[in-house]
Amino acid sequence: MELADLAWPAVDSLPKTTPVVFPIAALEQHGRHMPVFTDSLLCGEVVRRVKQAPVGANCLFAPMQWLGNSHHHVDFPGTLSASPRVYLDLIKDLARCFIGYGFTRLVFVNGHGGNTVPSQQALFELKQDLRDRRDLLLLSLTYWDSRGGPPTDIPGLVQTQMGHACEWETSMVLRLAPHLVSGDPAAVPEVPFGKGFAPGYRAWVMPDRSGPGHIGTPAAATAEKGEALFAYFAAGVASYLERVAAWDGVSWDF
């Protein structure tokens, strides 16, 4: 069900245990070979496929929130970003609206790495504000984490994790909108992921890691890999939403 297509009485008549899905992504630089709308394009396609799965008929999908927390990319022209606190409050208010309408199961489906921490923090703060509401299920899921690990059955896949304008993202854009890929991805040099002071966390902005703005191995991308990745991630998100719909309203271990 598409929120944008409904009149308010139709929204009001839905069961309040209907999972409400908020796709969140970004508009930011993706190297020299990929469009700035990459994250939103890819998250949108994953969600489109989820809508076609059986669980899609039992969920309410809000429009894509394309503005993300992308301040670590603003050294590259074309990036649009909300600062972390502004972004956190924005998506917190999206969720709060539907809590006010009585809905109890809200899911951010995320397509941008920079949104991961703010989306989790927004829900964490919201839960503190509503700490006695045991019926609330407030969730954030980044789509490439939806299967609990990288795909292992896609022939020729080089990367074992999501990068940035990398093999995975370039493959998916080649499958979805190849005309938006500039030049020949096979000629784009690899930018290694590096260690980044693991297992600790190092704060970074993109020029710390990559001059051209990508991380990973775009040269290994193919449209065939892109189709397989879309199928893999859409299945993971659909399975997750099935769990949301089936939640018993009480359990933590679900």
Side-chain angles (χ1 to χ4, degrees):
M1 294 176 286
E2 299 278 3
L3 172 61
D5 294 342
L6 300 179
W8 74 260
V11 176
D12 191 44
S13 68
L14 291 173
K16 298 307 182 277
T17 55
T18 300
V20 183
V21 179
F22 298 92
I24 57 174
L27 191 158
E28 63 181 27
Q29 74 85 23
H30 270 71
R32 295 188 173 116
H33 66 289
M34 293 274 278
V36 295
F37 209 50
T38 291
D39 285 343
S40 294
L41 286 171
L42 301 187
C43 186
E45 176 64 10
V46 170
V47 170
R48 185 190 71 79
R49 294 178 182 224
V50 170
K51 292 173 184 176
Q52 295 179 336
V55 72
N58 299 318
C59 299
L60 179 63
F61 292 87
M64 170 73 67
Q65 175 52 255
W66 60 261
L67 179 63
N69 173 39
S70 297
H71 266 39
H72 50 306
H73 290 284
V74 296
D75 299 273
F76 299 83
T79 298
L80 293 177
S81 179
S83 59
R85 185 69 246 178
V86 170
Y87 182 70
L88 198 156
D89 286 338
L90 170 65
I91 60 174
K92 185 176 175 181
D93 281 350
L94 294 180
R96 190 183 291 277
C97 285
F98 268 79
I99 293 172
Y101 305 143
F103 290 85
T104 58
R105 305 181 188 203
L106 311 182
V107 186
F108 292 135
V109 173
N110 175 40
H112 165 52
N115 294 344
T116 302
V117 171
S119 64
Q120 293 171 351
Q121 181 65 21
L123 296 180
F124 185 76
E125 291 183 10
L126 194 54
K127 182 59 180 176
Q128 312 318 304
D129 296 341
L130 302 166
R131 59 190 318 112
D132 296 325
R133 291 286 305 276
R134 300 290 178 262
D135 60 329
L136 287 180
L137 188 61
L138 306 177
L139 302 166
S140 179
L141 174 70
T142 298
Y143 74 76
W144 58 84
D145 293 332
S146 63
R147 300 291 292 268
T152 58
D153 58 351
I154 298 178
L157 201 65
V158 172
Q159 292 178 199
T160 59
Q161 60 182 303
M162 178 63 90
H164 188 72
C166 58
E167 176 192 24
W168 292 13
E169 288 193 321
T170 304
S171 291
M172 289 190 283
V173 174
L174 285 172
R175 170 62 182 87
L176 184 64
H179 61 286
L180 297 181
V181 179
S182 301
D184 180 8
V188 179
E190 177 185 12
V191 175
F193 284 83
K195 295 180 180 178
F197 281 84
Y201 173 78
R202 177 184 175 182
W204 57 277
V205 294
M206 183 55 77
D208 293 331
R209 302 182 63 178
S210 174
H214 71 273
I215 298 169
T217 314
T222 68
E224 292 74 19
K225 290 178 184 178
E227 174 58 32
L229 288 164
F230 274 130
Y232 184 81
F233 295 135
V237 175
S239 178
Y240 191 82
L241 292 177
E242 289 170 358
R243 289 171 57 194
V244 176
W247 183 53
D248 63 9
V250 178
S251 299
W252 174 258
D253 188 19
F254 200 85

